[in-house]
Amino acid sequence: MPTSRIALRRGKSPQYRRAISDAVHRALVEVIGIPNEDQFHVIDEYDAENFIYHPSFLDIARTDDLVIINIVLRGGRSRDLRVQLHKKIAELLEQKPGVRPQDVFVYLVENDYADWSVGNGDAPLMKLLEQAGAG
């Protein structure tokens, strides 16, 4: 049950923003195997004075089309799988809506099933884990 927070400069069309969300979601489905209906994203837009980044950190040439993607997900996936996810997101965003791979900044934050309540104040993911005998 990952959630994604996507930050970008203000002024992109609703279609552009939706294409970014859909590309991130598609990568999560294809690479880590989340269910297709498990799409929970928040898109934050910032004016130039509130969207601050270094244009060449680590010799990567960034532009004002930079997209910063924070994905929070359950821990335990291999390093290789997480790296594959980064690559797939950049690949899909380049295809649509046309974001340069240099302008794709992704960071993952991992946690545990007990950290998720997806409604009603319950932790149903933890309950499912316990029912499976793995909790």
Side-chain angles (χ1 to χ4, degrees):
M1 165 118 226
T3 61
S4 301
R5 178 166 232 120
I6 301 163
L8 57 136
R9 284 276 300 268
R10 187 174 312 283
K12 301 297 186 186
S13 71
Q15 296 82 6
Y16 183 94
R17 295 189 308 269
R18 183 60 193 226
I20 289 175
S21 175
D22 288 345
V24 170
H25 181 65
R26 181 174 160 199
L28 288 163
V29 169
E30 291 180 10
V31 175
I32 66 171
I34 69 165
N36 193 49
E37 65 275 6
D38 190 359
Q39 186 173 12
F40 295 91
H41 299 177
V42 176
I43 299 175
D44 300 317
E45 295 182 278
Y46 297 92
D47 294 324
E49 61 271 10
N50 293 313
F51 194 71
I52 302 164
Y53 63 92
H54 195 282
S56 62
F57 178 66
L58 295 177
D59 293 323
I60 299 170
R62 292 173 191 81
T63 71
D64 287 343
D65 288 329
L66 178 67
V67 178
I68 300 173
I69 303 162
N70 170 221
I71 301 171
V72 179
L73 68 167
R74 180 190 49 79
R77 293 174 179 90
S78 72
R79 173 182 276 174
D80 288 342
L81 197 61
R82 290 176 294 177
V83 170
Q84 287 175 29
L85 178 61
H86 297 180
K87 289 180 187 228
K88 188 65 161 185
I89 290 170
E91 172 190 310
L92 293 174
L93 286 175
E94 184 176 27
Q95 291 173 14
K96 184 178 181 184
V99 179
R100 298 168 54 248
Q102 299 90 335
D103 286 325
V104 178
F105 185 117
V106 179
Y107 65 105
L108 306 177
V109 177
E110 295 182 312
N111 60 21
D112 187 79
Y113 283 120
D115 298 314
W116 295 89
S117 174
V118 298
N120 296 322
D122 294 329
L125 301 173
M126 189 67 196
K127 290 178 185 176
L128 289 174
L129 186 65
E130 290 169 352
Q131 290 171 355

